[in-house]
Amino acid sequence: MNRRGWLVVGVSLALVGALVAGAAIVFGTFSARGYVEDRYSRSVADDIGRDATAYRSDRSPAQVADEITGSWNPDDRFVDDSGVYLRYDDDSLVILPLAAGSLILLERMSTAHPRYHSTVGNAWVWGRDSNVRGGGPGAGK
């Protein structure tokens, strides 16, 4: 390839990079996790160890859930008096009421499912989209 060909390739790659960066700015984040991280106030004091990262909002749990699900549709949703529980592919968002607003807990499903199973029961279908097979005689054959 001659010098002009390399120049065209270089300019093309630069344009693609600029378009991707521009799309990220215009369209925002690319996950529910990123959406929460970008839009809500971090609350380190409310973290649950290393498992759940906490955020706060001055809006009610229902309002926060509507904001998030308006942009990122969850795989499962459970609502009761204790809060709003949203399950995404790898993440959970648990939105709990506070005296003034909401506490939003962002956690990987691997730790959230056992933590909240007694609340959500079968509302969070664990492994629905996975290739995990049941465990009886002849399972997985």
Side-chain angles (χ1 to χ4, degrees), residues 9-54:
V9 169
V11 169
S12 297
L13 289 174
L15 286 173
V16 168
L19 287 172
V20 170
I25 292 168
V26 171
F27 297 110
T29 59
F30 297 103
S31 69
R33 173 177 288 274
Y35 185 91
V36 169
E37 291 170 344
D38 288 348
R39 286 173 176 75
Y40 299 101
S41 301
R42 186 74 172 83
S43 182
V44 176
D46 293 311
D47 285 356
I48 301 174
R50 290 192 201 177
D51 294 337
T53 306

Short mmCIF file of all heavy atoms in Angstrom, two decimals, residues 9-54:
data_model
loop_
_atom_site.label_atom_id
_atom_site.label_comp_id
_atom_site.label_asym_id
_atom_site.label_seq_id
_atom_site.Cartn_x
_atom_site.Cartn_y
_atom_site.Cartn_z
N VAL A 9 -6.49 5.13 5.40
CA VAL A 9 -6.80 4.19 6.48
C VAL A 9 -6.71 4.90 7.83
O VAL A 9 -7.59 4.76 8.69
CB VAL A 9 -5.86 2.97 6.43
CG1 VAL A 9 -5.99 2.12 7.69
CG2 VAL A 9 -6.15 2.13 5.19
N GLY A 10 -5.67 5.68 8.04
CA GLY A 10 -5.49 6.39 9.31
C GLY A 10 -6.61 7.39 9.57
O GLY A 10 -7.16 7.46 10.68
N VAL A 11 -6.97 8.15 8.58
CA VAL A 11 -8.05 9.12 8.73
C VAL A 11 -9.37 8.41 8.99
O VAL A 11 -10.17 8.83 9.83
CB VAL A 11 -8.13 10.05 7.49
CG1 VAL A 11 -9.40 10.89 7.51
CG2 VAL A 11 -6.90 10.94 7.41
N SER A 12 -9.59 7.29 8.30
CA SER A 12 -10.83 6.53 8.50
C SER A 12 -10.93 6.01 9.93
O SER A 12 -11.99 6.10 10.56
CB SER A 12 -10.90 5.36 7.52
OG SER A 12 -10.93 5.83 6.19
N LEU A 13 -9.85 5.47 10.45
CA LEU A 13 -9.85 4.97 11.83
C LEU A 13 -10.09 6.11 12.83
O LEU A 13 -10.81 5.94 13.82
CB LEU A 13 -8.55 4.25 12.14
CG LEU A 13 -8.37 2.89 11.46
CD1 LEU A 13 -6.98 2.34 11.73
CD2 LEU A 13 -9.45 1.91 11.91
N ALA A 14 -9.49 7.25 12.57
CA ALA A 14 -9.70 8.40 13.45
C ALA A 14 -11.16 8.84 13.44
O ALA A 14 -11.73 9.17 14.48
CB ALA A 14 -8.79 9.55 13.02
N LEU A 15 -11.79 8.83 12.28
CA LEU A 15 -13.21 9.20 12.18
C LEU A 15 -14.10 8.21 12.91
O LEU A 15 -15.04 8.61 13.61
CB LEU A 15 -13.63 9.32 10.72
CG LEU A 15 -13.14 10.56 9.98
CD1 LEU A 15 -13.48 10.46 8.50
CD2 LEU A 15 -13.74 11.81 10.59
N VAL A 16 -13.81 6.93 12.78
CA VAL A 16 -14.59 5.91 13.50
C VAL A 16 -14.45 6.12 15.01
O VAL A 16 -15.43 6.07 15.75
CB VAL A 16 -14.15 4.49 13.09
CG1 VAL A 16 -14.74 3.45 14.01
CG2 VAL A 16 -14.56 4.21 11.65
N GLY A 17 -13.23 6.36 15.47
CA GLY A 17 -13.02 6.62 16.90
C GLY A 17 -13.78 7.85 17.38
O GLY A 17 -14.38 7.84 18.45
N ALA A 18 -13.77 8.89 16.58
CA ALA A 18 -14.51 10.11 16.94
C ALA A 18 -16.02 9.85 16.99
O ALA A 18 -16.71 10.37 17.87
CB ALA A 18 -14.19 11.23 15.96
N LEU A 19 -16.52 9.06 16.05
CA LEU A 19 -17.95 8.73 16.05
C LEU A 19 -18.34 7.93 17.28
O LEU A 19 -19.39 8.18 17.89
CB LEU A 19 -18.33 7.97 14.77
CG LEU A 19 -18.37 8.80 13.49
CD1 LEU A 19 -18.57 7.89 12.28
CD2 LEU A 19 -19.47 9.84 13.57
N VAL A 20 -17.53 6.96 17.66
CA VAL A 20 -17.81 6.16 18.85
C VAL A 20 -17.79 7.04 20.10
O VAL A 20 -18.67 6.96 20.95
CB VAL A 20 -16.81 4.99 18.98
CG1 VAL A 20 -16.93 4.30 20.33
CG2 VAL A 20 -17.03 3.98 17.85
N ALA A 21 -16.80 7.90 20.22
CA ALA A 21 -16.72 8.81 21.36
C ALA A 21 -17.91 9.76 21.38
O ALA A 21 -18.50 10.02 22.43
CB ALA A 21 -15.41 9.60 21.32
N GLY A 22 -18.28 10.27 20.22
CA GLY A 22 -19.44 11.16 20.13
C GLY A 22 -20.73 10.45 20.51
O GLY A 22 -21.58 11.02 21.19
N ALA A 23 -20.88 9.21 20.10
CA ALA A 23 -22.08 8.44 20.45
C ALA A 23 -22.16 8.24 21.96
O ALA A 23 -23.23 8.32 22.56
CB ALA A 23 -22.10 7.10 19.73
N ALA A 24 -21.02 7.98 22.59
CA ALA A 24 -21.00 7.81 24.05
C ALA A 24 -21.44 9.08 24.76
O ALA A 24 -22.16 9.05 25.75
CB ALA A 24 -19.62 7.38 24.52
N ILE A 25 -21.03 10.23 24.23
CA ILE A 25 -21.41 11.50 24.84
C ILE A 25 -22.90 11.78 24.60
O ILE A 25 -23.62 12.17 25.52
CB ILE A 25 -20.55 12.65 24.27
CG1 ILE A 25 -19.11 12.49 24.76
CG2 ILE A 25 -21.10 14.01 24.67
CD1 ILE A 25 -18.11 13.38 24.05
N VAL A 26 -23.36 11.57 23.40
CA VAL A 26 -24.75 11.88 23.05
C VAL A 26 -25.72 10.89 23.68
O VAL A 26 -26.74 11.26 24.26
CB VAL A 26 -24.93 11.89 21.51
CG1 VAL A 26 -26.39 12.00 21.14
CG2 VAL A 26 -24.15 13.05 20.91
N PHE A 27 -25.40 9.61 23.57
CA PHE A 27 -26.34 8.58 24.02
C PHE A 27 -26.08 8.12 25.44
O PHE A 27 -26.84 7.34 25.98
CB PHE A 27 -26.31 7.38 23.07
CG PHE A 27 -26.76 7.74 21.69
CD1 PHE A 27 -25.86 7.77 20.64
CD2 PHE A 27 -28.08 8.09 21.43
CE1 PHE A 27 -26.27 8.10 19.36
CE2 PHE A 27 -28.49 8.44 20.16
CZ PHE A 27 -27.58 8.44 19.12
N GLY A 28 -25.03 8.58 26.06
CA GLY A 28 -24.77 8.25 27.45
C GLY A 28 -24.12 6.89 27.61
O GLY A 28 -23.42 6.41 26.74
N THR A 29 -24.39 6.29 28.74
CA THR A 29 -23.76 5.04 29.10
C THR A 29 -24.40 3.86 28.36
O THR A 29 -25.46 3.99 27.77
CB THR A 29 -23.89 4.81 30.61
OG1 THR A 29 -25.28 4.81 30.92
CG2 THR A 29 -23.20 5.91 31.39
N PHE A 30 -23.75 2.73 28.44
CA PHE A 30 -24.20 1.57 27.70
C PHE A 30 -24.68 0.43 28.59
O PHE A 30 -24.73 -0.71 28.17
CB PHE A 30 -23.09 1.09 26.77
CG PHE A 30 -22.73 2.13 25.74
CD1 PHE A 30 -21.59 2.90 25.87
CD2 PHE A 30 -23.56 2.35 24.65
CE1 PHE A 30 -21.27 3.86 24.92
CE2 PHE A 30 -23.25 3.31 23.70
CZ PHE A 30 -22.10 4.07 23.84
N SER A 31 -25.04 0.73 29.84
CA SER A 31 -25.57 -0.29 30.75
C SER A 31 -26.33 0.39 31.88
O SER A 31 -26.18 1.58 32.13
CB SER A 31 -24.43 -1.13 31.34
OG SER A 31 -23.66 -0.33 32.24
N ALA A 32 -27.14 -0.41 32.56
CA ALA A 32 -27.86 0.11 33.73
C ALA A 32 -26.85 0.52 34.80
O ALA A 32 -27.03 1.53 35.49
CB ALA A 32 -28.83 -0.93 34.27
N ARG A 33 -25.78 -0.24 34.94
CA ARG A 33 -24.73 0.08 35.92
C ARG A 33 -24.16 1.47 35.62
O ARG A 33 -24.06 2.32 36.49
CB ARG A 33 -23.63 -0.98 35.86
CG ARG A 33 -22.41 -0.65 36.70
CD ARG A 33 -21.39 -1.78 36.66
NE ARG A 33 -21.84 -2.92 37.41
CZ ARG A 33 -21.64 -3.08 38.72
NH1 ARG A 33 -21.01 -2.15 39.41
NH2 ARG A 33 -22.07 -4.16 39.33
N GLY A 34 -23.80 1.71 34.38
CA GLY A 34 -23.26 3.01 33.99
C GLY A 34 -24.26 4.13 34.17
O GLY A 34 -23.90 5.24 34.56
N TYR A 35 -25.53 3.84 33.89
CA TYR A 35 -26.58 4.83 34.06
C TYR A 35 -26.64 5.31 35.52
O TYR A 35 -26.68 6.50 35.79
CB TYR A 35 -27.92 4.23 33.63
CG TYR A 35 -29.07 5.21 33.65
CD1 TYR A 35 -29.39 5.97 32.53
CD2 TYR A 35 -29.83 5.39 34.80
CE1 TYR A 35 -30.44 6.87 32.55
CE2 TYR A 35 -30.88 6.30 34.83
CZ TYR A 35 -31.19 7.03 33.70
OH TYR A 35 -32.22 7.92 33.73
N VAL A 36 -26.63 4.36 36.44
CA VAL A 36 -26.68 4.71 37.87
C VAL A 36 -25.41 5.46 38.27
O VAL A 36 -25.48 6.50 38.95
CB VAL A 36 -26.87 3.44 38.73
CG1 VAL A 36 -26.66 3.74 40.21
CG2 VAL A 36 -28.26 2.85 38.50
N GLU A 37 -24.26 4.96 37.86
CA GLU A 37 -23.00 5.61 38.22
C GLU A 37 -22.92 7.05 37.72
O GLU A 37 -22.35 7.90 38.38
CB GLU A 37 -21.82 4.79 37.66
CG GLU A 37 -21.66 3.46 38.36
CD GLU A 37 -20.66 2.53 37.67
OE1 GLU A 37 -20.32 2.78 36.48
OE2 GLU A 37 -20.25 1.55 38.31
N ASP A 38 -23.52 7.32 36.56
CA ASP A 38 -23.47 8.65 35.97
C ASP A 38 -24.49 9.62 36.55
O ASP A 38 -24.29 10.83 36.51
CB ASP A 38 -23.69 8.59 34.46
CG ASP A 38 -22.51 8.00 33.72
OD1 ASP A 38 -21.43 7.85 34.32
OD2 ASP A 38 -22.68 7.70 32.52
N ARG A 39 -25.60 9.14 37.08
CA ARG A 39 -26.72 10.03 37.40
C ARG A 39 -27.05 10.18 38.89
O ARG A 39 -27.81 11.06 39.25
CB ARG A 39 -27.97 9.56 36.66
CG ARG A 39 -27.87 9.90 35.18
CD ARG A 39 -28.99 9.30 34.39
NE ARG A 39 -28.94 9.71 32.99
CZ ARG A 39 -28.08 9.25 32.10
NH1 ARG A 39 -27.17 8.38 32.46
NH2 ARG A 39 -28.11 9.66 30.85
N TYR A 40 -26.51 9.33 39.73
CA TYR A 40 -26.87 9.40 41.14
C TYR A 40 -25.64 9.66 42.00
O TYR A 40 -24.52 9.36 41.62
CB TYR A 40 -27.59 8.11 41.56
CG TYR A 40 -28.87 7.92 40.78
CD1 TYR A 40 -28.93 7.04 39.71
CD2 TYR A 40 -30.00 8.67 41.08
CE1 TYR A 40 -30.10 6.90 38.96
CE2 TYR A 40 -31.17 8.53 40.33
CZ TYR A 40 -31.20 7.64 39.28
OH TYR A 40 -32.34 7.51 38.54
N SER A 41 -25.87 10.21 43.19
CA SER A 41 -24.80 10.58 44.10
C SER A 41 -24.25 9.35 44.81
O SER A 41 -25.01 8.57 45.38
CB SER A 41 -25.31 11.57 45.15
OG SER A 41 -25.81 12.72 44.53
N ARG A 42 -22.96 9.21 44.79
CA ARG A 42 -22.28 8.09 45.45
C ARG A 42 -22.42 8.24 46.95
O ARG A 42 -22.33 9.34 47.50
CB ARG A 42 -20.82 8.10 45.02
CG ARG A 42 -20.00 6.96 45.48
CD ARG A 42 -20.32 5.69 44.72
NE ARG A 42 -19.36 4.67 45.10
CZ ARG A 42 -19.48 3.92 46.18
NH1 ARG A 42 -20.54 4.01 46.95
NH2 ARG A 42 -18.53 3.05 46.49
N SER A 43 -22.65 7.12 47.66
CA SER A 43 -22.80 7.13 49.11
C SER A 43 -21.96 6.00 49.71
O SER A 43 -22.48 4.94 50.06
CB SER A 43 -24.27 6.97 49.49
OG SER A 43 -24.43 7.01 50.89
N VAL A 44 -20.68 6.22 49.82
CA VAL A 44 -19.73 5.20 50.27
C VAL A 44 -20.11 4.64 51.63
O VAL A 44 -19.97 3.44 51.89
CB VAL A 44 -18.29 5.77 50.29
CG1 VAL A 44 -17.30 4.78 50.85
CG2 VAL A 44 -17.88 6.22 48.90
N ALA A 45 -20.64 5.47 52.51
CA ALA A 45 -21.01 5.03 53.86
C ALA A 45 -22.10 3.95 53.84
O ALA A 45 -22.22 3.18 54.79
CB ALA A 45 -21.47 6.22 54.70
N ASP A 46 -22.86 3.88 52.76
CA ASP A 46 -23.95 2.90 52.67
C ASP A 46 -23.58 1.64 51.88
O ASP A 46 -24.42 0.75 51.69
CB ASP A 46 -25.18 3.55 52.02
CG ASP A 46 -25.78 4.62 52.90
OD1 ASP A 46 -26.00 4.35 54.10
OD2 ASP A 46 -26.02 5.73 52.39
N ASP A 47 -22.33 1.54 51.41
CA ASP A 47 -21.90 0.33 50.70
C ASP A 47 -22.07 -0.88 51.61
O ASP A 47 -21.96 -0.79 52.84
CB ASP A 47 -20.41 0.43 50.32
CG ASP A 47 -20.15 1.35 49.15
OD1 ASP A 47 -21.11 1.89 48.57
OD2 ASP A 47 -18.97 1.54 48.82
N ILE A 48 -22.30 -2.03 50.99
CA ILE A 48 -22.34 -3.29 51.73
C ILE A 48 -21.03 -4.02 51.41
O ILE A 48 -20.93 -4.72 50.41
CB ILE A 48 -23.56 -4.15 51.34
CG1 ILE A 48 -24.85 -3.39 51.62
CG2 ILE A 48 -23.54 -5.48 52.09
CD1 ILE A 48 -26.11 -4.10 51.15
N GLY A 49 -20.05 -3.81 52.26
CA GLY A 49 -18.72 -4.38 52.04
C GLY A 49 -18.22 -4.04 50.65
O GLY A 49 -18.34 -2.92 50.18
N ARG A 50 -17.67 -5.05 49.98
CA ARG A 50 -17.23 -4.88 48.60
C ARG A 50 -18.29 -5.33 47.61
O ARG A 50 -18.11 -5.22 46.41
CB ARG A 50 -15.97 -5.71 48.35
CG ARG A 50 -14.75 -5.21 49.03
CD ARG A 50 -13.57 -5.93 48.44
NE ARG A 50 -12.42 -5.90 49.31
CZ ARG A 50 -11.30 -6.51 49.03
NH1 ARG A 50 -11.20 -7.22 47.92
NH2 ARG A 50 -10.28 -6.44 49.84
N ASP A 51 -19.39 -5.86 48.14
CA ASP A 51 -20.42 -6.45 47.27
C ASP A 51 -21.33 -5.42 46.61
O ASP A 51 -21.59 -5.50 45.42
CB ASP A 51 -21.28 -7.44 48.05
CG ASP A 51 -20.51 -8.65 48.51
OD1 ASP A 51 -19.46 -8.96 47.91
OD2 ASP A 51 -20.94 -9.29 49.48
N ALA A 52 -21.86 -4.50 47.39
CA ALA A 52 -22.87 -3.57 46.88
C ALA A 52 -22.38 -2.13 47.00
O ALA A 52 -21.99 -1.69 48.08
CB ALA A 52 -24.19 -3.73 47.62
N THR A 53 -22.41 -1.43 45.89
CA THR A 53 -22.02 -0.03 45.83
C THR A 53 -23.28 0.81 45.98
O THR A 53 -24.27 0.58 45.28
CB THR A 53 -21.35 0.26 44.47
OG1 THR A 53 -20.28 -0.67 44.29
CG2 THR A 53 -20.81 1.67 44.43
N ALA A 54 -23.25 1.79 46.88
CA ALA A 54 -24.45 2.56 47.22
C ALA A 54 -24.45 3.95 46.57
O ALA A 54 -23.40 4.60 46.44
CB ALA A 54 -24.56 2.71 48.73
#
